[in-house]
Amino acid sequence: MDFTHLPDLAAEKAGGLTLLANDDFFAPKENLLKASIPIFIPDKFTENGKWMDGWESRRSRKPGYDWCIIQLGIPGVIAGVDVWTAHFTGNYPEHCSVEACEVNGNVDLDTLLAADWQEILSKKTLQGDFHNLFEISSQQRWTHLRLNIFPDGGVARLRVHGTAAPDWSELDRDQAIELSSLTNGGRVLLCNDNFFSPKENLILPTKAANMGQGWETRRRREPGHDWLMLQLGVTGKIQHIEVDTAHFKGNFPDACSIDACRIPGDVPDDFLTSRSITWTEILPATKLEAHKVHRFESELQGLEGIYSHIRLNIYPDGGISRLRIWGTPSYFARFNSQTLPALRADLQRCCGATEWVEQMLAYAPFESPEHVYSLAEKVADDLKEADWLEAFDHHPRIGDVESLKEKFGTTADLASKEQAGSDNASEATLQALAAANQQYFEKFGFIFIVCATGKSAEQMLALLQERLPHDRDTELRIAAGEQRKISQLRLEQML
């Protein structure tokens, strides 16, 4: 199973919490999310019985099952879970299942218990002293999990692997965020060495408690320097950078430098280390100090690029606690699994062709309004006749907006504004429009499409009558051109 390389969204060090368990008589629920590898101490006992490094409930004597509710440190889309029963052999649960819910903000336990819990993993058989790996097919964003064990027993650790899906619905357009944070989707991809502590620690949202919670390389005995590459959670314009050497006193790097680049989409690791990438130095080699947060802002003045990947170089070796890259997300970079439906709905209002909408979504996030406009034209170039006809079907006949309201709602509202020029038309003009519209439809098989913004009813009637003599191919081409104009105007309003 290939999901285990993804971040653990429930990890204690990423802010994950075990909120409530119906029973943890033998071993506390808090052990479930610890980063440490479970251990077994044969002769260690508590007043309740054998000490175990995990969560363990008492032996059940009545029907039912035991459960534990977990708050994800990083809300996101779950790819798979590891129900790790390390050292639990005669006392592991026979089965487990997992439920999830999305409840944003601070909520009390009563509200959480009453939430809309959905099963994302049906009842599965467990093995003792084993990594029980289960893939999750749900693509929804979740904030909380409920691990159910049947009927009772012990689980050493729960790992919840997936991708972050932050809620940016309230984020102001120019608001700076931590682009690199694991919470915002940042990922440490590669490093040349992480002998003493893992590279993934570098972008954890919590402060490091000790050296072991940072990134530290071995002592270099050959020429060169150590390095690490990470992918920002969202592409963006970098405003300031923090390099934190907390807890590293006799082993901090002498200096560091930072490079950045923009790469569209995910790429293989070997591509990141190839000569195909042009890295831009955004912070030249700069001396570091022990146990200190180094903030670089004035050094980045004039930096205008939009970046997706960062390479941190340390000279020659050593340890860094945290790297934080702050900046503003590139245009529409905030659209993710949480807000994608909103973007899709907005694009559908601009053009009703499903193919156009899906192709536009494939290019998101967008860098700028200009990027959106050029993409809209590029995607439109490849549309087929069926796509244009689908787009036309999302428009009312000129002078008859009411017929579209029940079917397309807010799209009809847009059409109503665009056709405002017909509001004061005479009854004779409206009747002539209706008759010409019907004649047009009977001849071509689709309704008359015109960019109506700024045009009076009389002007639209004249254009309709002018286009009626055309053959179908000519008229389809003209109508597609008018749809392009309409889409561009609606995009401008949307952006």
Side-chain angles (χ1 to χ4, degrees):
M1 299 193 181
D2 61 356
F3 60 75
T4 55
H5 69 284
L6 295 172
D8 181 2
L9 305 180
E12 181 183 58
K13 62 182 181 180
L17 296 170
T18 48
L19 299 179
L20 184 67
N22 72 312
D23 189 294
D24 58 354
F25 183 81
F26 285 115
K29 63 185 184 301
E30 286 77 13
N31 289 338
L32 267 179
L33 307 183
K34 291 187 178 299
S36 59
I37 296 174
I39 61 173
F40 182 77
I41 303 176
D43 299 326
K44 186 173 182 178
F45 289 82
T46 71
E47 61 180 12
N48 286 340
K50 180 71 184 74
W51 178 90
M52 294 296 290
D53 189 5
W55 165 51
E56 185 180 4
S57 63
R58 74 189 78 199
R59 299 190 187 212
S60 178
R61 301 306 186 202
K62 57 185 178 181
Y65 57 89
D66 294 327
W67 49 265
C68 179
I69 292 178
I70 294 126
Q71 178 177 306
L72 298 180
I74 305 170
V77 179
I78 300 169
V81 297
D82 178 4
V83 183
W84 191 5
T85 54
H87 307 299
F88 287 93
T89 53
N91 52 350
Y92 65 93
E94 186 177 9
H95 298 93
C96 78
S97 71
V98 177
E99 297 170 278
C101 70
E102 181 181 13
V103 182
N104 295 302
N106 295 321
V107 294
D108 56 57
L109 287 175
D110 289 338
T111 301
L112 194 58
L113 288 169
D116 180 21
W117 290 91
Q118 298 182 38
E119 186 176 74
I120 61 172
L121 180 70
S122 60
K123 197 172 181 180
K124 301 294 183 183
T125 301
L126 295 176
Q127 297 182 52
D129 195 24
F130 191 73
H131 285 279
N132 295 276
L133 302 176
F134 303 109
E135 291 185 353
I136 304 295
S137 59
S138 168
Q139 294 302 305
Q140 188 171 333
R141 176 183 187 266
W142 304 110
T143 59
H144 296 77
L145 295 187
R146 181 159 56 198
L147 173 64
N148 304 311
I149 56 174
F150 302 88
D152 53 41
V155 174
R157 299 288 188 269
L158 176 68
R159 307 295 192 218
V160 182
H161 298 281
T163 55
D167 181 5
W168 289 327
S169 57
E170 302 299 323
L171 184 68
D172 293 334
R173 180 165 295 177
D174 296 324
Q175 182 177 339
I177 64 168
E178 190 179 343
L179 302 171
S180 56
S181 173
L182 189 63
T183 305
N184 287 329
R187 293 169 56 201
V188 179
L189 303 177
L190 293 171
C191 70
N192 72 308
D193 185 281
N194 58 353
F195 184 84
F196 287 110
S197 49
K199 62 185 187 300
E200 290 78 13
N201 285 347
L202 200 65
I203 58 172
L204 287 171
T206 54
K207 291 184 178 181
N210 51 54
M211 286 194 311
Q213 293 185 8
W215 167 55
E216 184 181 4
T217 66
R218 73 185 76 204
R219 299 190 186 211
R220 176 174 280 273
R221 304 306 188 191
E222 64 277 353
H225 67 276
D226 294 330
W227 53 265
L228 174 148
M229 293 182 187
L230 66 89
Q231 181 175 344
L232 299 178
V234 288
T235 58
K237 181 180 178 182
I238 297 171
Q239 294 182 343
H240 73 267
I241 296 173
E242 294 175 9
V243 178
D244 187 358
T245 56
H247 309 295
F248 291 97
K249 299 176 182 178
N251 52 350
F252 65 95
D254 181 61
C256 78
S257 69
I258 296 176
D259 305 317
C261 69
R262 170 72 190 274
I263 305 172
D266 294 326
V267 295
D269 289 350
D270 57 357
F271 181 80
L272 287 171
T273 55
S274 72
R275 296 181 181 273
S276 302
I277 297 178
T278 300
W279 292 92
T280 299
E281 184 178 73
I282 61 173
L283 180 71
T286 304
K287 294 283 285 185
L288 296 177
E289 298 179 38
H291 193 55
K292 178 181 177 180
V293 176
H294 305 77
R295 181 185 170 98
F296 304 107
E297 185 169 4
S298 61
E299 294 86 348
L300 306 178
Q301 294 299 315
L303 188 64
E304 295 294 337
I306 299 294
Y307 299 108
S308 63
H309 290 70
I310 296 295
R311 182 173 63 193
L312 170 67
N313 306 298
I314 58 173
Y315 304 94
D317 54 32
I320 289 181
S321 173
R322 295 288 185 270
L323 173 66
R324 305 195 188 280
I325 311 291
W326 289 83
T328 52
S330 60
Y331 206 82
F332 275 153
R334 68 194 67 200
F335 286 102
N336 54 21
S337 61
Q338 173 72 358
T339 52
L340 193 60
L343 177 56
R344 176 178 277 107
D346 281 342
L347 291 173
Q348 285 171 337
R349 285 189 283 270
C350 296
C351 178
T354 302
E355 181 66 17
W356 184 87
V357 172
E358 294 306 317
Q359 287 298 319
M360 289 292 289
L361 287 172
Y363 283 101
F366 308 129
E367 298 176 10
S368 65
E370 292 70 29
H371 184 208
V372 177
Y373 304 146
S374 63
L375 282 175
E377 288 299 309
K378 177 182 177 181
V379 172
D381 286 341
D382 295 328
L383 295 185
K384 305 296 188 293
E385 177 178 327
D387 302 317
W388 290 118
L389 295 178
E390 182 184 11
F392 300 164
D393 192 45
H394 282 65
H395 292 277
R397 295 188 180 190
I398 298 297
D400 184 23
V401 174
E402 294 300 320
S403 65
L404 198 71
K405 284 192 173 180
E406 185 175 344
K407 187 176 181 183
F408 295 119
T410 54
T411 304
D413 294 335
L414 288 173
S416 181
K417 293 177 183 178
E418 291 162 355
Q419 294 188 27
S422 65
D423 288 349
N424 299 318
S426 66
E427 185 63 29
T429 300
L430 292 176
Q431 288 181 4
L433 269 173
N437 267 316
Q438 184 61 31
Q439 186 180 357
Y440 183 99
F441 183 80
E442 290 173 356
K443 179 176 180 179
F444 299 114
F446 51 86
I447 69 167
F448 173 67
I449 300 294
V450 65
C451 184
T453 301
K455 293 181 177 66
S456 67
E458 290 76 16
Q459 288 174 316
M460 289 185 280
L461 176 59
L463 286 170
L464 197 164
Q465 292 170 336
E466 179 184 318
R467 286 165 51 181
L468 266 172
H470 293 156
D471 60 73
R472 190 178 187 280
D473 288 343
T474 299
E475 190 53 31
L476 182 64
R477 176 177 53 80
I478 294 173
E482 294 297 306
Q483 173 64 59
R484 286 177 183 251
K485 294 177 188 177
I486 295 168
S487 297
Q488 286 286 344
L489 285 173
R490 291 182 177 180
L491 282 171
E492 289 173 10
Q493 294 167 7
M494 183 180 79
L495 302 183

